[in-house]
Amino acid sequence: MSKKKKARVDGDAASAAPRDELATLAEVRRGGGTFHEVIFTTNRRTMASVTNRGATLRLHEQFAVAPARVLHALARLFTAEQESARGEARRVVQAFLAEHNPHENTEPPRSFPREVLLRDEPHLARLRAEFDRVNKAHFGTLLPPVPLFLSGRMTTRNGHFSRKPLEIVISRRLCVAAAPGEAEHTLRHEMIHLWQHVVGTRPDHGGAFRWWARLLDVRPRARRPVRMINDE
Ligand SMILES: [Zn+2]
C-alpha cells in the first residue's frame, strides 16, 4: 500500500488523455454534477456555463484534458450550496486554466510598485464591485482576481490590460472627470481582454471581442470618445 506519493498535487494533469464529451460527463457526474449532457465548445466565448435549465454543461474543449479532480471541482462550482465550497472549487478550476494557458504563466513582479493613492480607493472599490458583478453574471466567476489600478498618465487611452504583470489599469480621469459609468465601461472592455488571455488567445478587438462587447454593453472601439462631466 505504499504507493509513491505524487511529486505534485496536480501531477495527474500531464498523464491525462483527452476525454470525449461522454467520458467528461461521466467524470463530472462522479463529482456530484447532475447534468444530462456535456457539450464541448471550441469558440473562445464559453469557458463553463450551465444551460437548458441545468441539464447541459457547456465546457470549453480545454477541459477535455482536465484531471478528474478539476471536473469534480466544476461539478461543485455549479452545484455546491455553500459559497465557501464554490470558492474552493473555483480556485481549483482557475488553477487548471492558468496552468493550461498557452501564454507564459510566470508573471514577474513589477520592477516598481504601482502607486495607490488613498483618494483612489473609493473608485477602485466601485470598479472591483463592477468586476465581481460582471464576472459572476457573464464569466461564471472564472476570471481570476486581477490587480486594478488607476493611472494619471493615461491621457489618450482610457485603460489597458497587461499580461505581464497581470493587471488592469484605468485612466484616473475617467473616475474623476468623466460621466458616471465611463470607468466601469472601460473596465468591462479590459475584462474582455482578460478573458481572451485566460482562454489563451491574444488580446485583440476581433470577432470574439465584439461578441462579448455586445453582451457587456461595451462599444467595441479601442479609443472610444468618453463623455466628460462638462459634456452633460
Ligand atoms: Zn482593447
Side-chain angles (χ1 to χ4, degrees):
M1 277 296 285
S2 64
K3 266 192 179 169
K4 245 191 200 170
K5 259 204 166 172
K6 276 175 183 161
R8 299 173 60 207
V9 178
D10 50 4
D12 46 351
S15 62
R19 289 182 188 79
D20 62 13
E21 290 166 335
L22 274 179
T24 300
L25 174 65
E27 200 56 63
V28 170
R29 288 181 67 98
R30 266 195 284 282
T34 54
F35 312 104
H36 296 302
E37 65 175 344
V38 162
I39 295 178
F40 283 151
T41 69
T42 53
N43 73 42
R44 300 286 184 174
R45 299 159 191 168
T46 301
M47 183 49 54
S49 66
V50 174
T51 58
N52 201 10
R53 295 184 182 182
T56 303
L57 176 63
R58 296 169 61 82
L59 293 178
H60 191 269
E61 63 178 358
Q62 245 172 305
F63 284 103
V65 295
R69 59 183 188 79
V70 171
L71 297 179
H72 298 173
L74 269 175
R76 291 198 300 280
L77 180 63
F78 290 108
T79 55
E81 291 189 359
Q82 302 269 339
E83 167 54 30
S84 59
R86 290 197 301 274
E88 191 270 337
R90 185 177 305 125
R91 281 187 289 279
V92 172
V93 177
Q94 285 172 339
F96 167 77
L97 292 174
E99 199 178 321
H100 285 72
N101 188 326
H103 300 306
E104 298 151 69
N105 291 306
T106 43
E107 315 286 354
R110 298 195 67 81
S111 50
F112 60 95
R114 268 200 191 273
E115 191 181 20
V116 176
L117 303 177
L118 202 57
R119 63 187 159 93
D120 285 347
E121 271 307 331
H123 301 297
L124 288 170
R126 199 158 44 84
L127 291 172
R128 284 189 205 105
E130 174 71 353
F131 185 97
D132 290 344
R133 182 190 73 78
V134 174
N135 195 12
K136 188 172 181 186
H138 299 290
F139 295 104
T141 68
L142 287 173
L143 290 184
V146 56
L148 280 179
F149 297 101
L150 300 187
S151 167
R153 292 193 201 161
M154 302 175 111
T155 49
T156 57
R157 287 193 307 166
N158 297 321
H160 102 129
F161 165 75
S162 149
R163 299 185 303 195
K164 280 192 197 177
L166 190 65
E167 65 182 8
I168 288 175
V169 185
I170 306 291
S171 171
R172 185 176 288 117
R173 82 194 146 80
L174 286 193
C175 292
V176 299
E182 291 288 0
E184 284 88 344
H185 184 181
T186 293
L187 174 69
R188 294 196 298 275
H189 177 123
E190 306 307 335
M191 286 178 75
I192 301 174
H193 290 321
L194 172 62
W195 172 254
Q196 292 175 317
H197 170 67
V198 167
V199 299
T201 53
R202 186 165 283 282
D204 64 10
H205 301 107
F209 182 95
R210 291 196 298 275
W211 186 91
W212 276 109
R214 279 192 294 276
L215 189 72
L216 301 185
D217 196 21
V218 168
R219 276 153 284 156
R221 284 182 46 190
R223 289 164 196 257
R224 69 193 167 85
V226 169
R227 292 174 303 128
M228 304 308 274
I229 289 172
N230 293 341
D231 299 345
E232 294 289 89

